[in-house]
Amino acid sequence: MPHGPAALDPRTPVVVAVGQTEQRTTDLTAALEPTALLAEAARAAQADSGSERLLAALDTVAVIHILSHRYPDPGALVAAELGIAPARTIATDDGGNYPQSLLNRACAEIQAGTSDAWLLGGAEGCRTRQAARAQGTWLDWTSQGDDVVPTEEVTNHLPLSHDGEWARGVVLPASIYALFENAYRAEQGWTIDDHRDRLARLYAGFSEVAVGNPHAWIREPWTAEEIRDPSPRNRMVGFPYTKVMNANNAVEQAACVVVTSVGTARDLGIPADRWVFPWSGSDAHEHWFVSHRASLGRAPAIGIAGRAALDLAGIGIDDLAHIDVYSCFPSAVQIAAREIGLGTDRPLTVTGGLSFGGGPWNNYVSHSIAAMVDRLRGDTGSIGLVTANGGYLTKHAFGVYSTTPPSAPWRHARPQDQVDALPRRDLCEVVDGEVAVEATVVMHDRDSQPEAAIVAALLPDGRRAWGNTADPDALQRMITEETSGASGRIDAEGAFTFT
């Protein structure tokens, strides 16, 4: 059974503080740049810990990649803003998995005695950046020279997209995740209308959570009908996703998490009622390129890595009281829930998700961990699960948390060998022949009118191919009837036609 704080190994990793902040000013001259916004979140975290010495004790500041401004070493700027001198700064490239992945790494280092206190998090100023571009206004945000580098950079080992995918426009998350959605619908055997109703109910539940989250970007309640149907404020994007089903990146939000050893937490005088323990973690990725995955409606690495984290924690799905499933688009939620064994009839977010809670690009999971910590502190002894996703359902990370100390030392799984052994498809980059439709997505213009489609197709030998069409009759067919399994043709230029 879990044991009390007094008996804990002083190297036990523990989350001692979280901070979140957001700004809504329309005055471009008053808006904080991202690193300053993250520093505000760090100050909030220090206040949350109850120790005025917390920030000075940090040996590592790890900042998730910021898209709204180029910072070669954002951790150094945050540290300077806070007046601290950590031994190490870490920067990442793109991936929504990084907050949980880095927290997993922080726990491993703290447990091993090679580190004592991490701050990890990020910030975005996309709303101000977009407004400045629209007005032709220059933002005097900090520039760092090209010779400035962090202590360490954490990067993807490959580009997130295959050259053959770029060639057919299979690049934008809004189209790829909607493609996953339609593949998932076909596998489930749902009608198009039933499917759209299910999506609307799912996200109406997310909206309800956001209403109660003081840090959510959209706290106005949205009904299922408002979410489902296109309107002037909620246009259709990639069928069946209206705008509000897409991650909302036009935000200004920052969040951070501070992880220390139990010994450091005691030395800093942080009260034990602020402590939340990571019990276990895991990381894995799918077959890296979308083209190589056996099914576009599945993500088996989620199930493998998710179950590994639960097994290491010694718990099952029914032991989880609180869950935050990464929610850039509804397909990410549904596919992850199915792979892990979660029902979509239970709450799957503690923030409101990336649509309503806010989708600050790579840093959403810093917000979900912070919200989970707050939720667990208010429900002492309960257990929570955070899932993280980067790329196109590509990279996954998991963390199990509780205010109750773990019964065993924190443990981590990386079951990549199990994922790598799964079936995979080859990509046929140039096709000139008959294919069977696997899934489609029809992208819409800003007036919610069908504009063009991406078609995922299978060749008779099982290889995958990509096609495109802007034919109005084909687009109409794709949004009104099930086309999975339909016969078609892709020519050498990638043009798709039904046959």
Side-chain angles (χ1 to χ4, degrees), residues 421-435:
L422 295 173
R424 57 186 288 137
R425 295 185 186 275
D426 290 330
L427 173 63
C428 182
E429 296 187 50
V430 179
V431 185
D432 190 6
E434 298 299 314
V435 297

Side-chain angles (χ1 to χ4, degrees), residues 17-23 31-47 54-55 58 60-69 71 73-84 86 89-92 99 102 118-126 141-142 144 251-258 360 362-367 370:
V18 295
Q20 297 188 74
T21 189
E22 53 281 330
Q23 66 178 1
L32 296 176
E33 66 178 291
T35 50
L37 199 61
L38 179 53
E40 285 294 299
R43 296 184 186 100
Q46 178 163 271
L54 177 66
L55 296 179
L58 296 172
T60 301
V61 173
V63 179
I64 313 304
H65 183 50
I66 297 169
L67 271 79
S68 49
H69 190 59
Y71 298 108
D73 186 7
L77 296 177
V78 173
E81 182 84 19
L82 297 172
I84 61 175
T89 59
I90 297 174
T92 76
L102 286 177
W118 278 56
L119 181 145
L120 61 93
E124 287 294 353
C126 300
W141 288 358
T142 306
Q144 292 177 298
V251 299
E252 287 178 302
Q253 295 175 293
C256 66
V257 181
V258 179
N362 300 300
N363 195 51
Y364 166 77
V365 173
S366 294
H367 291 269

Side-chain angles (χ1 to χ4, degrees), residues 172-186 195 199 236-242 245-246 296-297 328-332 334-335 392-393 439-444 454:
L172 293 178
S175 60
I176 295 175
Y177 279 90
L179 192 75
F180 294 159
E181 185 69 60
N182 291 321
Y184 182 76
R185 181 198 69 232
H195 179 217
L199 297 181
M236 185 64 71
V237 181
F239 189 85
Y241 291 163
T242 54
M245 294 184 198
N246 291 250
L296 298 182
C328 50
F329 300 89
S331 59
Q334 296 165 97
I335 292 172
Y392 309 112
L393 278 180
T440 69
V441 57
V442 176
M443 301 303 293
H444 288 60
I454 296 171

Side-chain angles (χ1 to χ4, degrees), residues 20-24 96 99 122-124 126-127 203 206-207 209-211 213-220 222 243-255 324-329 349-369 371:
Q20 297 188 74
T21 189
E22 53 281 330
Q23 66 178 1
R24 298 178 183 273
E124 287 294 353
C126 300
R127 188 178 64 106
Y203 264 44
F206 277 49
S207 175
V209 173
V211 169
N213 175 9
H215 296 290
W217 192 255
I218 299 177
R219 300 190 67 193
E220 168 199 358
W222 281 65
K243 183 178 180 180
V244 81
M245 294 184 198
N246 291 250
N248 178 13
N249 297 317
V251 299
E252 287 178 302
Q253 295 175 293
D324 196 87
V325 175
Y326 195 88
S327 51
C328 50
F329 300 89
T349 182
V350 294
T351 67
L354 279 83
S355 290
F356 302 103
W361 292 101
N362 300 300
N363 195 51
Y364 166 77
V365 173
S366 294
H367 291 269
S368 64
I369 295 171

Side-chain angles (χ1 to χ4, degrees), residues 150-161:
T151 311
E152 181 182 348
E153 293 181 88
V154 178
T155 60
N156 295 306
H157 71 286
L158 288 170
L160 289 168
S161 296

Side-chain angles (χ1 to χ4, degrees), residues 70-226:
R70 183 180 180 276
Y71 298 108
D73 186 7
L77 296 177
V78 173
E81 182 84 19
L82 297 172
I84 61 175
R88 174 175 60 172
T89 59
I90 297 174
T92 76
D93 61 359
D94 288 326
N97 60 301
Y98 281 129
Q100 181 60 55
S101 290
L102 286 177
L103 193 145
N104 288 341
R105 176 176 164 183
C107 289
E109 290 190 5
I110 288 167
Q111 186 168 264
T114 58
S115 181
D116 291 310
W118 278 56
L119 181 145
L120 61 93
E124 287 294 353
C126 300
R127 188 178 64 106
T128 287
R129 171 64 69 191
Q130 291 173 1
R133 286 174 178 167
Q135 297 175 23
T137 299
W138 170 257
L139 293 174
D140 190 23
W141 288 358
T142 306
S143 295
Q144 292 177 298
D146 291 337
D147 59 336
V148 173
V149 293
T151 311
E152 181 182 348
E153 293 181 88
V154 178
T155 60
N156 295 306
H157 71 286
L158 288 170
L160 289 168
S161 296
H162 189 286
D163 286 347
E165 294 162 1
W166 275 96
R168 300 291 180 248
V170 188
V171 178
L172 293 178
S175 60
I176 295 175
Y177 279 90
L179 192 75
F180 294 159
E181 185 69 60
N182 291 321
Y184 182 76
R185 181 198 69 232
E187 287 191 10
Q188 296 298 307
W190 297 330
T191 67
I192 290 175
D193 285 342
D194 180 36
H195 179 217
R196 294 181 64 201
D197 288 342
R198 288 171 182 266
L199 297 181
R201 289 195 298 270
L202 177 66
Y203 264 44
F206 277 49
S207 175
E208 289 179 13
V209 173
V211 169
N213 175 9
H215 296 290
W217 192 255
I218 299 177
R219 300 190 67 193
E220 168 199 358
W222 281 65
T223 67
E225 292 75 17
E226 290 171 322

Side-chain angles (χ1 to χ4, degrees), residues 429-469:
E429 296 187 50
V430 179
V431 185
D432 190 6
E434 298 299 314
V435 297
V437 174
E438 182 182 16
T440 69
V441 57
V442 176
M443 301 303 293
H444 288 60
D445 64 20
R446 301 192 72 83
D447 294 320
S448 296
Q449 296 302 307
E451 191 170 39
I454 296 171
V455 179
L458 300 178
L459 276 64
D461 61 8
R463 289 180 296 167
R464 180 173 282 117
W466 299 102
N468 306 101
T469 183

